[in-house]
Amino acid sequence: MQKSGFWSNPLVETAGYFSVVVLCIIVTMVLFELVTKYNNWEQIKKGNIAVALATGGKIFGVANIFHYSISRHNSLGEMIGWGFFGFTLLVFAYILFEFLTPKFNVDKEIEADNRSVGFISLTISVGLSFVIGASIS
């Protein structure tokens, strides 16, 4: 039996998912701001490419995790819950990246516009978002 009505209209569902995920991305960016030792948006405004790369990777990673969460869950609550669980794993990966590079401080290097570290940070966020997304059940 097919659902009918306003809320099951594909355009309404798409707009709903879009709105919720944009809000979730804003929330996760605020949380990432708390994890990093520099101000992402202030550094991007100054032209810091390394911060832009790292931040772009985080946004892509979170959006990708929510992509998987939308495709695998039927309710909005499950989608948000699994999406934030995936985000938590992405934050853990960022902290692990910092821990596994004891010869330099990732945040300081990114703040200093070390683009290679910014690019690796982007790659870790994007790459692991596919692994996290694939494992969301």
Side-chain angles (χ1 to χ4, degrees):
M1 180 179 231
Q2 187 176 6
K3 294 190 277 183
S4 63
F6 179 78
W7 295 111
S8 61
N9 181 304
L11 295 174
V12 174
E13 286 181 343
T14 300
Y17 280 124
F18 172 80
S19 302
V20 169
V21 171
V22 167
L23 181 61
C24 289
I25 287 174
I26 291 169
V27 169
T28 58
M29 294 292 42
V30 168
L31 295 173
F32 264 127
E33 191 79 35
L34 298 173
V35 172
T36 56
K37 295 179 175 98
Y38 51 84
N39 183 313
N40 292 298
W41 303 109
E42 182 180 304
Q43 289 295 318
I44 290 170
K45 185 178 176 185
K46 290 180 183 178
N48 188 323
I49 300 295
V51 172
L53 289 167
T55 303
K58 292 170 189 169
I59 292 169
F60 184 102
V62 170
N64 192 40
I65 288 168
F66 275 99
H67 155 78
Y68 281 96
S69 188
I70 288 169
S71 68
R72 297 223 171 94
H73 298 97
N74 293 326
S75 77
L76 192 61
E78 282 183 355
M79 183 272 292
I80 293 170
W82 280 103
F84 274 106
F85 177 70
F87 162 75
T88 303
L89 293 175
L90 208 55
V91 169
F92 176 72
Y94 187 80
I95 293 168
L96 190 60
F97 175 41
E98 183 79 62
F99 177 75
L100 293 174
T101 53
K103 296 194 182 229
F104 63 90
N105 182 293
V106 172
D107 277 348
K108 285 182 182 177
E109 292 298 319
I110 291 174
E111 185 176 21
D113 202 15
N114 184 332
R115 294 171 188 180
S116 1
V117 177
F119 181 73
I120 292 297
S121 177
L122 174 144
T123 306
I124 288 170
S125 293
V126 170
L128 288 179
S129 75
F130 282 100
V131 174
I132 293 166
S135 67
I136 289 176
S137 58

